[in-house]
Amino acid sequence: TGPLSIMEMAPAQVDPIMEPEEPKEAHIVRREDQMRGYVSGEPIRALCGKVWVPSENPHDLPVCPRCKSKKEQIIAGQRGMN
């Protein structure tokens, strides 16, 4: 798993199983997925499982609490291995 990055949630109809997001949130994704999404327009998956095509700057949005929790679990697991 590569470095994580915060990305925005654009209201794209990529994954019909997921409900549309209200309000918008910044999601955490792998850095290589972030670049692939922007460059190719390919859908990417956040730590929380949300799938979308990135299209906006996420820096002014609140961070998705599910992504934040998953990231904290990953970091805690890495610390426990040291």
Side-chain angles (χ1 to χ4, degrees), residues 34-42:
Q34 171 188 359
M35 291 307 300
R36 187 183 73 242
Y38 273 125
V39 172
S40 71
E42 187 177 328

Side-chain angles (χ1 to χ4, degrees), residues 43-76:
I44 60 175
R45 183 176 303 274
L47 291 180
C48 69
K50 185 70 177 177
V51 177
W52 83 102
V53 177
S55 64
E56 299 177 29
N57 183 338
H59 297 291
D60 293 331
L61 300 173
V63 176
C64 167
R66 295 173 314 278
C67 283
K68 186 175 180 179
S69 175
K70 290 277 190 181
K71 180 181 176 184
E72 290 168 354
Q73 290 173 1
I74 291 168
I75 291 171

Side-chain angles (χ1 to χ4, degrees), residues 8-43:
E8 104 304 333
M9 174 58 231
Q13 297 296 327
V14 176
D15 190 344
I17 296 172
M18 301 296 288
E19 295 179 15
E21 181 134 17
E22 295 291 332
K24 285 185 167 185
E25 297 175 317
H27 289 271
I28 301 173
V29 300
R30 292 182 6 194
R31 193 161 287 152
E32 57 268 21
D33 291 344
Q34 171 188 359
M35 291 307 300
R36 187 183 73 242
Y38 273 125
V39 172
S40 71
E42 187 177 328

